[in-house]
Amino acid sequence: MADHVAMSLEPALSTMSDAVALWYVGAGSAAGIVRAACELLVAGADGPSLCALAAVSFRHADEEVPELLEAAMQEVGLAFHPRGTIAAHEAGIRVMASRVLTGDLTPKALAVWAWSTFPMAPVELPRELKLLGFDYEYLDEYAEVGVTLERSAEQLDAEIVAEARRIVASGRR
């Protein structure tokens, strides 16, 4: 049997916040939120809504998590935004941007994700990322036919990393 080392409360809260933010933008699952709620309980957080959330079956997570999430987030002192709102989208974008800064996501993957996830959405935060994702598409298309553009993939990556830093920092105000 593998030993499970309990996470301390602050990292567990961060994991929960990130799981919810990713769910907001379709980059995470309701089952991931249930897992994060379980980690919060193991780390020492408590409350009836959090317990109910942690007890949700993965099979029924998509149906039950939306009903339990707001109360559980309030119990542990985390921000909750109704799914589909600009604030929810921005929370998800910040988590995705932070993944680039930790090396868990490539700059190109972030830009292409922003472009495909928010093509017409009125969310201001990923605007520059969407444009850079579009630039990547041109870069790839022109490379296929042997044409070199003024900007290289490395330059686009550097711009995306800079934008990711700006996005993450905008959430710390």
Side-chain angles (χ1 to χ4, degrees), residues 53-133:
L53 184 60
V56 169
S57 153
F58 288 165
R59 186 178 327 152
H60 298 109
D62 289 331
E63 299 87 33
E64 294 181 30
V65 164
E67 296 172 16
L68 301 168
L69 187 58
E70 183 175 7
M73 295 289 278
Q74 289 175 350
E75 275 180 359
V76 296
L78 293 174
F80 172 81
H81 310 290
R83 196 168 188 194
T85 64
I86 289 175
H89 287 156
E90 288 179 349
I93 293 162
R94 282 189 188 92
V95 172
M96 292 295 285
S98 72
R99 287 181 160 186
V100 168
L101 302 181
T102 61
D104 294 329
L105 187 66
T106 67
K108 179 180 180 178
L110 174 65
V112 171
W113 171 83
W115 182 47
S116 63
T117 303
F118 301 102
M120 303 299 275
V123 181
E124 184 68 23
L125 206 52
R127 184 173 42 138
E128 186 64 25
L129 285 177
K130 290 190 307 186
L131 294 173
L132 292 166

Side-chain angles (χ1 to χ4, degrees), residues 107 132 135-136 139 151-161:
L132 292 166
D135 287 352
Y136 251 116
L139 189 69
R151 262 195 308 202
S152 67
E154 292 79 18
Q155 290 168 319
L156 275 173
D157 284 350
E159 290 180 49
I160 293 165
V161 169

